[in-house]
């Protein structure tokens, strides 16, 4: 490297702190460097950038000589403090605009682009290390150091641009701005807080195009949007896979229930609490009735997703349930009117663009570290269950539908997870467990309670007039689970009924459980031991699906053969976090 270097210093902020480094830089490298310190502006950066971008090749050197421009080897530049300015509570738009650096960003990028020859100092914290390397290397800090400085400069300008974009997104394209003052499609929505009330500020935004959803009523929270976007992705895929309207009931980023539009028989209408509905049940309404009714305890306060425009019958069902909100690709005028009246007008109603497709790459931040992966865009259809490894290979079309429902639900359930499905609906799901068998037991236990709710004695429970739906759901859950009640809790439970209620005996429960058959069970990863197969059988499971890969695969297959089950190896793991 030629020891006659040229240094361009551009100091725009914190001048008192940086003055000492200017002096130090002059003192340590004046013997081998022509020092030119200037306060650059957009009016005179062109000659500077030409001197920065020039390469060490004959043609560039000739051009510089012809134009009387000296090549620059070192650039020291600090940007205007835009982020510090906008963080001030009294910051005005004019204040923010004044602190948008133009020339500095140009110099940083020019120097970083040509880091094969040029050193770029964009942060005072690098001055000391640079001076040491410069003096020890007699003017050459080495290619590795120059590359590191260039990377830092590129990252700094990217962060700087992101801060500017974020500020003006809030000023010009936020949902809170009156429509007549919006300068661009809505890209951002402010949220009351994050996952918890102390986590402020919070927002949802996109950096390209516009938000794929609109708020028609209420105000979504952080967790509401996690549930809404995950649940809509699930129901959209269910409808695409089965060509049936789909619904999901989500709580804390996992489905409490999910279903497709399969007509309800009279008993199911009673079990799901829609036998008294005046409007005829549409397939979409049937789908939500199944999704909500599979596990009413977990669905309490759910966020709902529909794959098709919400109709009146579906809205009527939703109107009498305790729910936080709904997302759908449309609403009939009457259905929207019904939903807007819920929770005194505070019920969250979201419209989502049915044509929206998210980017192929997704990014999240955990503890300050960015994690990035290809979105899980695998398609789940009947072909996934063709590799049947058991002696019994009879897999009817109804079971295939249920396997698709169960497996797609797992795609959007916190892992580990296992799902049971029947008649186009999830009837039990075990989510977020570290042990596979605990997932299977949890899902099976929920399926068992769901089935006991069909028992004639449960359907005939003599509730007093005026007992609320949520109170009925809780009372039934206590009844079918056999929970031992004492004291005030027992008295409160008994007071819900107009007569004495005798408990279901173990014999009655066992006899009723034996009547359930043809349930499907899917797992998001392989079964490590055959105990999962045996437990699934106890809940009426006849059709199994799970990836292969366990050293105990053969033992699991033997267990399935023992029970005459159909077991498909999917070769598709579906972990979700």
């Amino acid at each position: 490297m030629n020891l006659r270097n040229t240094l361009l210093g551009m100091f725009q902020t914190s001048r008192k702190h940086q003055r000492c480094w200017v002096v130090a830089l002059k003192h340590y490298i004046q013997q081998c460097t022509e020092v030119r310190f200037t306060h650059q502006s957009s009016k005179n950066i062109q000659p500077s950038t030409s001197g920065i971008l020039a390469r060490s090749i004959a043609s560039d050197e000739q051009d510089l000589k012809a134009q009387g421009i000296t090549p620059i080897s070192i650039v020291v530049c600090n940007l205007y403090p835009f982020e510090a300015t906008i963080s001030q509570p009294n910051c005005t738009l004019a204040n923010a605009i004044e602190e948008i650096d133009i020339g500095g960003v140009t110099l940083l990028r020019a120097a970083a682009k040509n880091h094969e020859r040029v050193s770029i100092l964009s942060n005072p914290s690098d001055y000391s290390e640079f001076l040491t390397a410069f003096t020890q290397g007699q003017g050459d800090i080495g290619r590795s150091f120059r590359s590191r400085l260039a990377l830092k400069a590129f990252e700094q300008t990217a962060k700087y641009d992101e801060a500017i974009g974020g500020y003006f997104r809030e000023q010009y394209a936020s949902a809170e701005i009156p429509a007549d003052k919006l300068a661009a499609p809505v890209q951002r929505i402010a949220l009351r807080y994050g996952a918890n009330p102390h986590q402020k500020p919070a927002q949802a935004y996109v950096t390209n195009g516009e938000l794929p959803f609109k708020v028609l009523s209420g105000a979504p929270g952080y967790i509401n949007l996690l549930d809404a976007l995950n649940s809509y992705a699930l129901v959209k895929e269910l409808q695409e896979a089965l060509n049936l309207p789909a619904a999901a009931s989500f709580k804390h980023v996992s489905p409490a229930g999910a279903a497709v539009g399969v007509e309800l028989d009279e008993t199911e209408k009673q079990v799901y609490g829609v036998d008294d509905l005046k409007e005829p049940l549409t397939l979409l309404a049937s789908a939500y009735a199944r999704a909500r009714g599979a596990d009413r305890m977990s669905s309490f306060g759910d966020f709902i997703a529909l794959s098709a425009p919400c109709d009146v019958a579906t809205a009527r069902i939703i109107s009498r349930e305790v729910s936080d909100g709904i997302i759908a690709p449309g609403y009939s005028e009457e259905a929207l009117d019904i939903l807007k009246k819920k929770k005194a007008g505070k019920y969250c109603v979201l419209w989502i663009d049915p044509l929206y497709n998210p980017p192929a790459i997704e990014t999240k931040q955990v503890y300050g570290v960015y994690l990035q992966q290809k979105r899980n865009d695998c398609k789940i259809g009947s072909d996934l269950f063709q590799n049947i490894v058991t002696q019994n290979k009879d897999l009817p079309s109804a079971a295939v539908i249920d396997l698709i429902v169960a497996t797609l639900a797992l795609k959007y359930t916190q892992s580990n997870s296992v799902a049971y499905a029947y008649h186009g609906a999830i009837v039990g799901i075990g989510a977020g467990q570290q042990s596979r068998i605990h997932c299977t037991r949890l899902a099976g236990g929920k399926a068992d309670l769901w089935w006991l709710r069909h028992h004639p004695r449960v359907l005939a429970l003599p509730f007093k007039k005026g007992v609320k739906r949520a109170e009925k759901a809780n009372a039934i859950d206590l009844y079918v689970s056999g929970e031992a009640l004492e004291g005030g809790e027992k008295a409160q439970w008994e007071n819900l009924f107009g007569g004495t209620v005798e408990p279901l005996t173990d014999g009655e429960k066992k006899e009723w459980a034996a009547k359930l058959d043809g349930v499907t069970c899917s797992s998001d990863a392989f079964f490590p031991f055959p105990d999962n197969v045996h437990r699934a059988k106890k809940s009426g499971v006849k059709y199994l699906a799970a990836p292969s890969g366990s050293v105990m695969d053969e033992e699991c297959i033997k267990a399935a053969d023992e029970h005459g089950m159909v077991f498909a190896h999917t070769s598709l793991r579906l972990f979700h976090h």
Side-chain angles (χ1 to χ4, degrees), residues 261-294:
V262 176
E263 289 187 9
L264 302 174
D265 62 30
E266 293 307 313
T267 299
E268 288 173 326
K269 288 178 183 179
Q270 191 175 356
V271 170
Y272 297 135
V274 294
D275 53 316
D276 59 342
L277 197 70
K278 294 180 180 180
E279 285 80 8
L281 283 174
T282 61
L283 289 181
L284 183 64
S286 296
Y288 181 63
R290 289 183 184 278
R292 173 79 186 206

Side-chain angles (χ1 to χ4, degrees), residues 247-252 254-259 268 271-273 286-304 321-323 413 418-422 425-431 433 439 441-454 469-470 472-478 480-481:
S249 170
F250 257 60
K251 286 283 295 293
H252 291 286
S254 282
E268 288 173 326
V271 170
Y272 297 135
S286 296
Y288 181 63
R290 289 183 184 278
R292 173 79 186 206
D295 182 0
R296 294 189 64 82
M297 301 299 290
S298 295
S299 285
F300 185 85
D302 65 349
F303 208 96
I304 301 159
E321 301 289 4
V322 177
S323 171
T413 301
V418 169
Y420 292 47
Y422 189 68
I426 297 297
V427 295
I429 196 159
Q433 304 299 304
C439 293
R441 289 172 183 165
L442 178 59
K446 291 185 176 185
D448 295 342
L449 296 181
W450 163 83
W451 179 238
L452 278 172
R453 284 166 45 211
H454 292 69
R469 294 174 67 83
K472 286 183 179 180
N474 187 54
I476 291 172
D477 185 75
L478 289 171
V480 297
S481 64

Side-chain angles (χ1 to χ4, degrees), residues 343-377:
K343 295 177 72 171
K346 296 182 179 180
Y347 187 64
C348 182
V349 180
L350 304 179
W351 169 87
I352 188 165
D353 182 0
L355 301 179
Y356 172 71
N357 283 307
I361 301 298
E362 60 183 9
T363 305
K364 67 168 62 177
Q365 188 193 85
V366 179
Y367 205 58
V369 176
Y370 292 95
L371 302 175
Q372 193 173 77
Q373 66 175 353
K374 178 179 177 289
R375 186 171 297 279
N376 187 358
D377 58 0

